[in-house]
Amino acid sequence: MIKKDLVIIGAGAAGLSSALAAYQNGVEEILILEKEEDAGGILNQCIHTGFGLHTFHQEMSGPAYAQKCIDLVEQTPIEIQTSTMVLSVSQDRVVTCSSSKYGLQKIQAKAIVFATGCRERSRGAIQLPGTRPAGIMSAGTAQRYLNIDGWLVGKKVLILGSGDIGLIMARRMTLEGAEVVAVAELMPYSNGLPRNLKQCLDDFNIPLYLSHTITDIKGHHRVEQVVLSQVDEKLQPIAGTEKVFDVDTVLLSVGLIPENSLLEDAGAVLHPRTKGPIVDERCMTSIEGIFACGNSLHVHDLVDFVYAEGQRAGKAAADYLHQIQPADKMIDVIAKGELSYILPQKLHPSDTKLFYRVKSPLKNCTIEISCNNQIIRTLKKPALIPSIMEEITIKKQWLDECDGPLVVEVKA
Amino acid sequence: MEMICITCPKGCTLKIEQNNDKLIVTGNSCPRGVVYAENEIFHPMRMITSTVRIKGASIARCPVMSSVPVPKEKMFDVMKVIENTTIEAPVQCNQVLIHNICDLDCDLVATRTLKKL
Ligand SMILES: Cc1cc2nc3c(=O)[nH]c(=O)nc-3n(C[C@H](O)[C@H](O)[C@H](O)COP(=O)(O)OP(=O)(O)OC[C@H]3O[C@@H](n4cnc5c(N)ncnc54)[C@H](O)[C@@H]3O)c2cc1C
Ligand code: SF4
């Protein structure tokens, strides 16, 4: 069996940055496995700019950002094997993968970083009504077809879901000559970044229907019509509010789910809310020596945060390989109130950071950090929205004194 | 007046007051927010990103961007030129593909390195 110090699964921003950090912290034999022909991950299809301001201090497109990471890796002895699909990982860290070049391989790793990214929720996942003609696909699939293969998937388009991929595709398809007739969002607010609402929809006068959903799709071979209805507070369609649109294409931008089937099969415990593994401040999962970062840990909207998380996981993997152990004490972190989730879910006393998102847009928020009903810190935020991930700095001495779970509560 | 700075993903909410001919901008986290607000009020500018056809590479399209923002109303003129452009591999990330596109003092640059097959 092949032996490696560190195997990284996925060569997106998270995988590449974790490899670099592990290398900089003294790990010698590092192998990155990537199923696609090229390294770079989802960045390769995100041709818009808006990447890299924090990490590289310049505004880049997704492919340029990926290139920068790949160039850095290529200056090191880190090995990247592309066109290699990981099939399974065992608890004792044997990675089974298959590639056209090397066939089936088994690799014994001392440590593993999962950086497998996320997948899009599909039509099945949201139970879309109507017939099943051609012309319905996820926004990310349409993005890949257009930006890498050069195929415009439709001429008259309706987008369901106002996540960033949907918004960016609305602009992209408009610039390519398609007509985007509407973006419909089930919730009373958008899940996209405010800047994307402005530069992708407002700039082109594309209407955003909040509190609306698709109640029928008509068409035999190809989509011909879509019916939108307004929804009530319980998100149920209101009869009599139907609007009919003649379109040939429906794009779904209804959310991303961390890709963790391999990690789950290996026996790691996943979190019901993030759908990623439960981790400590080192990004270590419930399996010793297996780490996770990037979109497979939780869905990110900024690549710079993905990069930074990859660096933490890579550094932690290096520490683990060098037998640098954290404190014995482990504290659970519990999200309460308006918090959607908080990460990591477990902490060893150390100077570290917590990351969180709220469930819905809030104004004048108070964030309380407490332990055993004793408030440790209170923070104020003028506004919080679900599309922006926030962070809290944690000091080791607060945790040294904790004798129970750390509770973080957000109140409006 | 309030507006969202779209220059970077931070998306600061800018507050703008007009004092005679001068704009007073607050709420920006960096100086680029002031430039954005001034442009947005007097002549809105946008970055353009798209792809051009590429021959001889492993994929069919090479991603491109405008080197600087272009006037918003000229976006579709630039897109027309982009649509009619075909390049040959190899191409280097940041390589200029078209100089001074549409006479806008702006270049069209590649944003991905693609080797010749
Ligand atoms: C449409 C879109 C627009 C975005 N826009 C912006 C923006 O404007 N600015 C910004 O900063 N950020 C943006 N982001 C966010 C950011 O770019 C991504 O979150 C980040 O690139 C994700 O990196 P990752 O490494 O976690 O995942 P990915 O890039 O998805 O990488 C995961 C890799 O793992 C591989 N893989 C998965 N399973 C296996 C397996 N079994 N075997 C081998 N390989 C496997 C995949 O092929 C993939 O290459 C955007 C994201 C999307 C989707
Ligand atoms: S003001 Fe600066 S930091 Fe804020 S969005 Fe604009 S460019 Fe980004």
Side-chain angles (χ1 to χ4, degrees):
Chain A
M1 198 170 347
I2 308 162
K3 290 198 166 67
K4 293 283 171 194
D5 290 336
L6 178 61
V7 169
I8 294 166
I9 308 174
L16 295 169
S17 74
S18 64
L20 283 165
Y23 172 73
Q24 283 151 2
N25 285 282
V27 181
E28 276 165 17
E29 294 201 306
I30 305 174
L31 172 64
I32 311 178
L33 302 172
E34 168 57 54
K35 68 175 156 58
E36 299 290 328
E37 235 172 280
D38 293 305
I42 196 84
L43 287 169
N44 282 333
Q45 69 182 61
C46 298
I47 61 156
H48 56 282
T49 55
F51 298 85
L53 271 152
H54 295 267
T55 313
F56 298 121
H57 306 290
Q58 50 176 303
E59 178 150 354
M60 294 188 270
S61 74
Y65 191 103
Q67 191 72 51
K68 195 116 190 173
C69 299
I70 294 165
D71 289 347
L72 290 172
V73 169
E74 283 180 348
Q75 289 161 20
T76 71
I78 298 167
E79 189 189 341
I80 308 183
Q81 239 184 63
T82 52
S83 303
T84 304
M85 174 93 173
V86 175
L87 303 172
S88 71
V89 172
S90 70
Q91 277 206 358
D92 49 3
R93 299 186 294 274
V94 176
V95 178
T96 308
C97 57
S98 115
S99 73
S100 46
K101 200 164 163 194
Y102 302 102
L104 199 68
Q105 302 174 87
K106 273 191 188 293
I107 305 161
Q108 173 70 62
K110 289 185 191 153
I112 297 174
V113 174
F114 271 84
T116 45
C118 58
R119 63 190 144 84
E120 291 179 280
R121 290 173 74 194
S122 62
R123 177 175 183 164
I126 55 160
Q127 296 176 339
L128 214 54
T131 55
R132 317 218 134 219
I136 305 171
M137 69 181 78
S138 73
T141 305
Q143 187 181 43
R144 192 193 158 98
Y145 280 146
L146 182 56
N147 292 347
I148 294 185
D149 304 317
W151 302 327
L152 187 63
V153 297
K155 292 255 154 61
K156 279 193 95 176
V157 189
L158 185 139
I159 299 175
L160 180 64
S162 61
D164 287 310
I165 314 180
L167 300 180
I168 281 166
M169 280 308 287
R171 171 179 63 182
R172 182 79 184 103
M173 291 189 75
T174 306
L175 282 174
E176 285 293 332
E179 186 191 347
V180 179
V181 298
V183 175
E185 168 61 54
L186 182 66
M187 304 307 284
Y189 52 86
S190 164
N191 289 313
L193 292 173
R195 73 190 291 255
N196 285 336
L197 287 168
K198 179 164 175 187
Q199 60 183 350
C200 298
L201 300 189
D202 298 355
D203 270 8
F204 302 102
N205 300 316
I206 299 169
L208 171 64
Y209 293 94
L210 294 173
S211 297
H212 274 73
T213 193
I214 292 180
T215 42
D216 199 9
I217 296 177
K218 295 182 176 131
H220 291 291
H221 299 295
R222 178 86 197 187
V223 173
E224 287 163 21
Q225 275 187 337
V226 172
V227 181
L228 280 191
S229 299
Q230 202 179 328
V231 297
D232 59 22
E233 305 88 74
K234 295 196 179 104
L235 307 181
Q236 295 306 310
I238 304 170
T241 61
E242 294 83 3
K243 292 180 199 64
V244 181
F245 294 87
D246 292 320
V247 293
D248 57 28
T249 304
V250 178
L251 296 188
L252 306 177
S253 176
V254 289
L256 300 164
I257 306 174
E259 175 60 70
N260 282 308
S261 44
L262 296 178
L263 194 52
E264 206 176 0
D265 290 347
V269 183
L270 301 191
H271 190 271
R273 188 90 208 180
T274 60
K275 309 271 192 275
I278 289 179
V279 291
D280 64 15
E281 79 289 353
R282 302 170 295 169
C283 298
M284 196 193 278
T285 66
S286 58
I287 307 177
E288 172 93 8
I290 297 189
F291 301 79
C293 57
N295 279 352
S296 55
L297 179 54
H298 58 139
V299 176
H300 292 256
D301 19 57
L302 289 183
V303 69
D304 289 315
F305 291 148
V306 170
Y307 195 90
E309 197 169 88
Q311 285 179 316
R312 284 199 303 281
K315 159 93 170 53
D319 285 351
Y320 171 78
L321 289 169
H322 298 139
Q323 279 151 12
I324 301 171
Q325 296 287 350
D328 276 339
K329 180 168 162 181
M330 179 100 100
I331 298 161
D332 285 327
V333 183
I334 294 172
K336 266 181 79 176
E338 297 299 317
L339 276 184
S340 167
Y341 70 82
I342 193 151
L343 219 88
Q345 296 92 347
K346 290 176 183 299
L347 287 177
H348 298 93
S350 54
D351 289 336
T352 185
K353 278 180 182 164
L354 295 173
F355 300 90
Y356 66 93
R357 281 180 201 271
V358 289
K359 288 178 194 158
S360 58
L362 302 171
K363 286 234 152 77
N364 299 322
C365 316
T366 311
I367 303 160
E368 260 175 30
I369 308 168
S370 61
C371 180
N372 276 340
N373 296 322
Q374 289 250 313
I375 294 174
I376 303 174
R377 273 290 179 287
T378 307
L379 308 165
K380 299 264 180 212
K381 283 270 179 184
L384 292 171
I385 55 174
S387 61
I388 295 183
M389 188 178 78
E390 303 277 344
E391 56 180 58
I392 304 173
T393 303
I394 298 288
K395 291 258 178 288
K396 178 173 183 297
Q397 72 244 31
W398 307 350
L399 303 177
D400 282 335
E401 288 155 20
C402 271
D403 53 358
L406 194 72
V407 177
V408 182
E409 180 165 7
V410 171
K411 297 174 187 165
Chain B
M1 181 170 56
E2 275 193 11
M3 63 168 73
I4 291 161
C5 178
I6 62 169
T7 311
C8 87
K10 196 156 183 183
C12 300
T13 304
L14 308 176
K15 287 200 176 60
I16 298 142
E17 276 167 63
Q18 208 145 354
N19 193 344
N20 298 324
D21 276 352
K22 273 201 77 146
L23 294 181
I24 301 162
V25 181
T26 50
N28 55 309
S29 305
C30 83
R32 300 197 303 163
V34 181
V35 179
Y36 172 78
E38 281 168 359
N39 277 335
E40 195 61 15
I41 287 173
F42 299 115
H43 42 95
M45 308 284 276
R46 294 290 182 267
M47 289 293 287
I48 289 191
T49 54
S50 184
T51 60
V52 296
R53 272 181 213 88
I54 182 161
K55 285 191 174 149
S58 63
I59 56 173
R61 291 290 185 280
C62 175
V64 294
M65 71 179 206
S66 56
S67 54
V68 289
V70 301
K72 198 168 141 186
E73 70 279 5
K74 297 278 192 224
M75 287 174 88
F76 283 95
D77 297 349
V78 176
M79 281 305 292
K80 197 155 262 161
V81 178
I82 290 175
E83 242 159 67
N84 294 321
T85 302
T86 303
I87 60 168
E88 297 266 348
V91 62
Q92 210 54 44
C93 189
N94 293 326
Q95 184 182 326
V96 174
L97 302 176
I98 301 176
H99 283 280
N100 193 19
I101 192 166
C102 301
D103 283 326
L104 292 171
D105 283 328
C106 161
D107 299 332
L108 190 72
V109 293
T111 64
R112 184 170 180 177
T113 297
L114 288 167
K115 295 187 189 104
K116 194 174 172 64
L117 275 194

